[in-house]
Amino acid sequence: MTKAELVVVANRLPVDRVVDGSGEPSWRRSPGGLVTALEPVMRRADGAWVGWPGQPDIDVEPFEFEGAYLVPVSLSSDDVENYYEGMSNDTFWPLYHDVIAEPRYRRVWWDSYVRVNRRFAEAAADAAAEGAEVWVQDYQLQLVPRMLREMRPDLTIGYFHHIPFPAYGLYSQLPWRRQVLDGLLGADVIGFQRVADAGNFARAVRRVLRFPTKASGITVPEADGATRNALAKAFPISIDAASYVELAQRPDIRARAAEIRAELGNPRKILLGVDRLDYTKGIRHRLKAFGELLEDGRVSVDDVTLVQVASPSRERVEAYVQLRDEIELTVGRINGDYDTMGHTAIRYLHQAYPREEMVALFLAADVMLVTALRDGMNLVAKEYVASRVDNRGVLVLSEFAGAADELPSAVRINPHDIDGMKDAIMRAIDMPAAEQGRRMRALRKRVIEHDVARWSRSFLAALDDAKSVKRRADARRASA
């Protein structure tokens, strides 16, 4: 088995398994910023990627794909139900997103989560070369860092938390709060999207574990009586901005943007929302605000159309089934009240689209609505900005999305304040071209300079620093 100098551990492999008409399976690269960011790094480092193939009850041997060594971790249907749909997405997800939906705490889910995390840790330990770096990704695998450290003390371990980390008053609800903190502190570098998330984590460590915390890191006691420093800080993730710029300049995509406007009846302004169908995204609040603007007569269906793309998500989790029903009832009611033969108030699209079509939508939209109630980052905001090569368009951005820390030139909103959101939407609709240009140029400068490659470089540089510290400490112990 190939031993890698860099091992990425994520819930999913960076490929999707597809079966052709003859029943022959093959692999296709998954879309996504994480894959784009880490692919060149992994090629340089002879890297391996540990993850689930995406389908239950299939056993696949490790294999090479486009220069990367992929190590599949098999999950049974019960694992998917308990570890993934249960503990990850019906406990951690709502708890970490400010309890917008009520988290459920089931011991059978936790037991499955521990078992599956151990399986991922064992696969990573087997794949890693002596003294390698291992980078664990996200909330599905919070126990892996500690498990890995116990299995392979020679490794340097990083962990990145892609979603928010909650304030202690919420986090303290978790029956397994101590085990999760201990699991994360197995890492040498623990990355978060926002400074506030790193602060919430440090406060939880102080309250639960009583470990000293400083800006330079958290002092973690080891079994042998020694201590080590675990760095916990913000490394805000980003996108492959250059690829969006390139797509936005393609004549066929620009033509498609004009076609979209024509298909919508050439309204004066197009508003756009692009989200996974998730209760954290504030879709209901957005629809309420737009419906009231129509009711108040501040916008007319002939002049303004809202396009809402809501890609399917976690369709076997009950909270998501209910959410879809609520949203589709709301869309139907608003369209029934305000549609004309020539114009639709809300064009609702419950499907996923390829990146080319999304960039065409970004170019067609005059206003991008990101109304998340809580979001680790929200990369759609950055994708819209990167695509606006014409320096036009307005980003309306929730202050509760991580992107708000980096994009101060957006029109900021509190999505719980429906009147404030309505005023912000009207401000965006009526914004003069000169102000749009000033704001968008500042937004684009930030997104293009702080792209996903810079994110991965900064995290891996911190991991390299931790590795150097570890080597020096090992050398001192050996000479003592």
Side-chain angles (χ1 to χ4, degrees):
M1 180 177 177
T2 302
K3 299 293 184 180
E5 297 297 331
L6 173 65
V7 179
V8 171
V9 191
N11 179 62
R12 284 290 302 272
L13 287 174
V15 292
D16 296 318
R17 187 173 184 263
V18 291
V19 179
D20 63 22
S22 66
E24 189 66 29
S26 62
W27 299 96
R28 179 180 60 202
R29 180 175 165 178
S30 304
L34 185 63
V35 178
T36 303
L38 298 182
E39 181 189 38
V41 178
M42 291 181 69
R43 283 182 176 167
R44 284 197 303 272
D46 292 325
W49 188 304
V50 174
W52 175 46
Q55 297 173 17
D57 302 310
I58 61 168
D59 287 311
V60 183
E61 291 297 311
F63 62 98
E64 287 206 13
F65 182 86
E66 295 184 357
Y69 188 66
L70 305 186
V71 182
V73 175
S74 177
L75 297 183
S76 68
S77 297
D78 283 348
D79 292 332
V80 173
E81 181 180 346
N82 294 313
Y83 144 79
Y84 182 68
E85 293 175 349
M87 194 70 210
S88 295
N89 292 322
D90 217 355
T91 301
F92 285 124
W93 181 269
L95 176 65
Y96 286 18
H97 286 86
D98 290 355
V99 195
I100 294 166
E102 184 179 355
R104 294 197 290 164
Y105 305 111
R106 296 189 58 192
R107 286 169 289 181
V108 66
W109 291 354
W110 171 254
D111 293 342
S112 177
Y113 186 84
V114 174
R115 286 194 302 272
V116 172
N117 270 243
R118 187 164 298 282
R119 211 176 303 157
F120 275 87
E122 288 168 351
D126 287 345
E130 183 70 23
E133 296 178 353
V134 179
W135 191 1
V136 183
Q137 306 290 330
D138 221 5
Y139 66 104
Q140 301 95 344
L141 303 173
Q142 294 173 97
L143 306 182
V144 168
R146 171 60 64 190
M147 292 172 172
L148 257 181
R149 182 167 291 278
E150 291 170 354
M151 295 173 192
R152 293 283 306 272
D154 59 297
L155 300 175
T156 305
I157 302 166
Y159 170 89
F160 188 77
H161 198 75
H162 291 257
I163 68 173
F165 196 91
Y168 183 71
L170 295 176
Y171 180 76
S172 61
Q173 294 181 22
L174 184 66
W176 308 281
R177 59 195 184 189
R178 177 177 293 271
Q179 293 95 313
V180 169
L181 293 175
D182 182 64
L184 293 172
L185 287 171
D188 299 287
V189 180
I190 307 155
F192 297 92
Q193 299 281 27
R194 309 179 82 164
V195 172
D197 295 323
N200 287 342
F201 173 73
R203 278 186 287 277
V205 169
R206 287 197 300 272
R207 294 286 294 274
V208 176
L209 301 177
R210 308 291 182 186
F211 295 170
T213 64
K214 298 178 182 176
S216 57
I218 298 166
T219 303
V220 183
E222 296 289 66
D224 61 1
T227 61
R228 63 180 178 85
N229 190 65
L231 178 66
K233 65 172 285 190
F235 296 87
I237 198 170
S238 194
I239 62 167
D240 178 17
S243 69
Y244 283 88
V245 172
E246 184 180 336
L247 287 170
Q249 292 173 329
R250 271 175 39 183
D252 60 321
I253 290 178
R254 299 178 75 82
R256 175 61 187 143
E259 196 175 72
I260 288 169
R261 292 194 74 96
E263 289 172 357
L264 294 170
N266 284 312
R268 183 172 67 90
K269 296 288 182 178
I270 295 173
L271 315 182
L272 176 63
V274 176
D275 311 88
R276 276 189 316 103
L277 189 62
D278 193 290
Y279 49 75
T280 64
K281 302 298 184 181
I283 301 172
R284 286 173 293 197
H285 297 63
R286 182 184 315 161
L287 296 178
K288 183 174 180 60
F290 185 64
E292 288 190 11
L293 287 173
L294 288 165
E295 184 181 353
D296 298 344
R298 295 175 72 182
V299 298
S300 113
V301 73
D302 296 329
D303 284 341
V304 180
T305 294
L306 169 61
V307 177
Q308 177 60 58
V309 178
S311 57
S313 174
R314 300 169 189 164
E315 295 181 291
R316 298 193 342 178
V317 177
E318 182 60 28
Y320 291 79
V321 175
Q322 293 176 3
L323 175 68
R324 180 178 180 183
D325 288 346
E326 284 182 46
I327 286 173
E328 292 180 357
L329 279 169
T330 302
V331 170
R333 179 183 57 76
I334 292 172
N335 284 346
D337 287 345
Y338 298 105
D339 278 8
T340 65
M341 289 297 183
H343 294 89
T344 294
I346 302 170
R347 184 66 60 88
Y348 173 74
L349 305 162
H350 180 60
Q351 50 201 283
Y353 289 95
R355 185 180 293 192
E356 290 81 0
E357 182 74 356
M358 292 312 307
V359 172
L361 272 168
F362 292 149
L363 291 172
D366 303 286
V367 179
M368 184 80 219
L369 299 177
V370 176
T371 61
L373 307 180
R374 192 78 165 93
D375 214 334
M377 177 52 63
N378 194 289
L379 295 179
V380 167
K382 295 185 175 185
E383 291 166 1
Y384 178 73
V385 165
S387 301
R388 294 310 304 225
V389 292
D390 59 353
N391 289 318
R392 290 293 179 270
V394 184
L395 174 62
V396 176
L397 179 60
S398 167
E399 64 189 71
F400 304 119
D405 288 359
E406 296 186 87
L407 304 177
S409 297
V411 176
R412 286 167 59 107
I413 57 161
N414 170 2
H416 299 282
D417 175 6
I418 301 299
D419 286 335
M421 196 194 312
K422 288 161 62 178
D423 290 342
I425 291 171
M426 291 308 303
R427 182 181 173 195
I429 287 172
D430 296 332
M431 188 175 289
E435 184 180 351
Q436 289 182 39
R438 283 196 303 274
R439 288 174 177 269
M440 190 56 71
R441 277 190 290 272
L443 292 170
R444 297 191 76 246
K445 184 174 190 293
R446 173 73 191 193
V447 169
I448 289 168
E449 289 180 356
H450 293 79
D451 65 358
V452 73
R454 181 165 173 166
W455 168 76
S456 63
R457 282 196 307 270
S458 64
F459 190 96
L460 290 170
L463 207 55
D464 286 341
D465 289 345
K467 188 173 188 175
S468 298
V469 170
K470 182 181 178 67
R471 282 177 176 159
R472 290 195 295 271
D474 290 346
R476 283 197 301 270
R477 278 195 292 268
S479 63

